[in-house]
Amino acid sequence: MEKVDVIVVGGGLAGLSAAYGLAQAGLEVMVLERGDYPGAKNVTGGRLYTSVVRDLYPELWEGAPFERAVTREAISMLADGRMATFEIAAEEFGGRRPQSFTVVRAKLDQYLAERTGEAGGMVIPKMKVDALLTEGGSEASGAGGGPGASGADGGPGASGRVIGIRAGEDEIGADVVVVAEGVLGLLSSEAGLRERPAAADTALGYKEVIELPASVIEDRWHLNPGEGAAQLFMGSVTKGMMGGAFLYTNRESISLGIVVGMEQLRSRPDELESWQLLDELKTSPAVAPLIKGGEVIEYSAHAVAEGGIAKVPRLLGDGYVMVGDAAGLSLNALITVRGMDFAIASGYHAAQAIAAAKAAGDTSAAGLAGYERALRESFVLKDLQTAAKVPALLENQRLFTHYPEAVTKLMADIFTIGPGPTEKLSKTGFGGVRRSFLNLATAKDALSFRKI
Ligand SMILES: Cc1cc2nc3c(=O)[nH]c(=O)nc-3n(C[C@H](O)[C@H](O)[C@H](O)COP(=O)(O)OP(=O)(O)OC[C@H]3O[C@@H](n4cnc5c(N)ncnc54)[C@H](O)[C@@H]3O)c2cc1C
């Protein structure tokens, strides 16, 4: 069997970030990507927090094909024909080192693939991996490590050491396989490295890219040239289901999409589809004027890992490491959605740990354990741990029904001058707060909000 130092399964941000570091370390690394090119199949909302990954591979980000630096943030609550928007524009979001940029994956992933190639790595598109090979010649399934970021204390369950991959008729061996196949984890769950993601821990994202001239985008979102906006929508947009919509401004397009809990969508009696929710949002008075005149140039759908740290599987074993979405490293914290920064950082730390393990001549779980240690010390597992209670909080339906309804109603009442005499502003305000926010249910919610 042909053999290389490292095989990376999946040329998304996690896999490419690992491959770039491994190539830089002088290892023979091969990325196998099933798409026509890296990024061809990859979907994101569209904002990468560079603040946390800037110091990893600093040379990469200067020339990266980012779209716009996000300088304006808005969150809009929608209910019954009303929208209340809270917006912040802060100098510290932008400047010389913006905290985040909007991105288009087809461009960003290809850029990383090119840099990986220049560093000496091999990126092979149109190559679908069919199975992970384990010691003893098997592609067998096994018990695997349980969820919960368990310790780096063993291999892939009953399957034995991971020794390579099979793609069609070809088998290729490797000292280490980097599993970067993304959220569904088909190969890794089949090989017993993780559990198959449950619908309850997964959301469905549906997104359109709508082309608009740069000057129109800057006018509509009050932006200086090169600056960008991020807007989230919650409330009636998901018809009571967990989730929300997002809008990011790119250079000459808008990324507009919706993310909704997979289990809740699946169990609806009316067979509603996520694209129908987005269609309704697009024609709503809140969004229609923003996208007026724009042309849809792309649409896509993708799963999103929402299980949080409790669903992070064992991160490594004999001969393999798991990175990015394949390892459940993603965080929807309602007002921030993150996964790309975790993908890049996990790829980076995997590369460092694999290079060290190779240098020490030990690519067993014990030899690769530095990967998990580094992730635990980095923002990746720390932030997931901090947000450990967020997935449970998002199951609270009132977040998507009662609060948007109550907030928009209160705001509308405050701004309404009726035909009769107007009551004191304090009476309208406090009356609304008392009616909607001071009861047993909201008190219980306040207690649970304190935990996040
Ligand atoms: C709608 C939506 C909105 C999001 N919004 C944001 C956001 O605004 N900010 C943010 O940071 N994160 C966001 N995320 C999450 C983020 O996109 C992911 O966390 C990130 O893409 C994970 O990168 P990855 O490299 O681990 O996986 P992926 O990008 O999914 O890459 C996996 C790669 O593996 C390849 N592959 C899979 N199976 C095989 C196989 N058998 N053989 C060969 N290749 C294979 C795939 O083709 C793909 O290229 C969003 C996600 C969605 C779906």
Side-chain angles (χ1 to χ4, degrees):
M1 178 158 77
E2 187 194 339
K3 186 165 177 259
V4 293
D5 291 331
V6 184
I7 291 175
V8 178
V9 179
L13 290 180
L16 291 168
S17 169
Y20 176 75
L22 289 161
Q24 273 192 326
L27 296 185
E28 197 181 7
V29 56
M30 190 185 264
V31 181
L32 303 178
E33 165 55 43
R34 67 182 170 164
D36 288 351
Y37 54 86
K41 284 186 169 288
N42 299 345
V43 183
T44 197
R47 177 239 292 270
L48 168 64
Y49 285 96
T50 43
S51 49
V52 282
V53 294
R54 187 180 287 124
D55 295 335
L56 316 176
Y57 306 134
E59 72 285 1
L60 273 184
W61 310 121
E62 278 303 312
F66 294 138
E67 295 290 306
R68 288 173 182 269
V70 178
T71 56
R72 270 178 187 271
E73 306 272 357
I75 180 153
S76 298
M77 296 194 173
L78 301 169
D80 294 337
R82 297 185 294 263
M83 174 169 80
T85 296
F86 302 88
E87 185 172 352
I88 172 147
E91 276 179 13
E92 61 259 39
F93 293 161
R96 233 175 38 79
R97 286 158 71 90
Q99 75 155 352
S100 68
F101 287 90
T102 56
V103 299
V104 169
R105 287 293 296 272
K107 292 187 203 167
L108 184 62
D109 291 22
Q110 280 189 88
Y111 169 80
L112 274 185
E114 280 161 20
R115 299 291 85 78
T116 301
E118 285 165 11
M122 226 183 308
V123 181
I124 306 175
K126 299 185 190 170
M127 180 66 78
K128 179 172 165 289
V129 175
D130 293 313
L132 303 175
L133 300 177
T134 53
E135 215 157 39
S138 78
E139 297 172 5
S141 61
S150 54
D153 54 356
S159 315
R161 184 189 174 92
V162 174
I163 55 166
I165 60 95
R166 181 173 63 74
E169 299 294 296
D170 296 324
E171 291 190 347
I172 311 172
D175 289 329
V176 183
V177 173
V178 177
V179 183
E181 61 175 330
V183 58
L184 294 181
L186 297 179
L187 300 174
S188 43
S189 51
E190 219 164 86
L193 311 188
R194 60 172 276 183
E195 290 174 353
R196 201 157 244 200
D201 302 320
T202 315
L204 178 66
Y206 177 80
K207 168 181 158 183
E208 290 185 357
V209 178
I210 301 168
E211 201 169 45
L212 280 172
S215 58
V216 172
I217 291 173
E218 284 153 12
D219 284 351
R220 285 185 190 172
W221 279 272
H222 313 128
L223 301 166
N224 293 312
E227 290 180 348
Q231 187 166 3
L232 298 176
F233 302 86
M234 59 188 287
S236 52
V237 59
T238 55
K239 298 193 188 296
M241 293 179 286
M242 187 272 278
F246 58 83
L247 185 158
Y248 296 104
T249 59
N250 304 317
R251 276 173 208 257
E252 298 194 316
S253 65
I254 302 298
S255 294
L256 179 66
I258 198 142
V259 173
V260 65
M262 191 91 81
E263 183 60 47
Q264 298 188 15
L265 192 63
R266 196 171 71 160
S267 56
R268 278 181 79 94
D270 58 4
E271 296 184 355
L272 186 80
E273 302 276 3
S274 56
W275 59 265
Q276 290 171 312
L277 290 171
L278 190 62
D279 271 0
E280 276 187 33
L281 179 68
K282 283 172 65 183
T283 52
S284 72
V287 167
L290 295 175
I291 57 171
K292 191 171 156 216
E295 192 192 336
V296 177
I297 52 170
E298 188 185 308
Y299 62 85
S300 50
H302 204 276
V304 191
E306 301 250 319
I309 194 152
K311 300 296 168 179
V312 172
R314 178 173 294 180
L315 289 165
L316 59 97
D318 294 332
Y320 78 93
V321 300
M322 313 263 292
V323 293
D325 273 8
L329 303 175
S330 145
L331 177 59
N332 174 0
L334 212 58
I335 53 170
T336 54
V337 182
R338 297 170 61 187
M340 290 190 284
D341 51 339
F342 292 164
I344 291 168
S346 58
Y348 170 87
H349 289 298
Q352 309 304 307
I354 293 168
K358 279 285 292 174
D362 178 7
T363 53
S364 69
L368 293 166
Y371 169 53
E372 183 166 332
R373 276 198 301 275
L375 277 196
R376 283 194 186 283
E377 280 160 24
S378 80
F379 72 89
V380 176
L381 287 182
K382 283 189 174 154
D383 286 5
L384 278 170
Q385 187 60 54
T386 303
K389 299 234 161 40
V390 169
L393 179 83
L394 294 185
E395 283 169 18
N396 180 349
Q397 207 191 7
R398 283 191 298 277
L399 279 176
F400 310 102
T401 52
H402 173 74
Y403 291 106
E405 163 66 33
V407 170
T408 54
K409 175 84 172 65
L410 178 63
M411 296 300 288
D413 286 350
I414 286 174
F415 283 95
T416 298
I417 301 294
T422 307
E423 63 183 10
K424 271 189 180 172
L425 185 59
S426 57
K427 193 167 176 209
T428 311
F430 288 127
V433 169
R434 210 172 23 247
R435 256 193 320 278
S436 304
F437 298 102
L438 300 181
N439 54 52
L440 200 57
T442 53
K444 274 173 46 195
D445 292 344
L447 286 177
S448 63
F449 294 158
R450 277 194 334 168
K451 294 185 191 147
I452 61 167

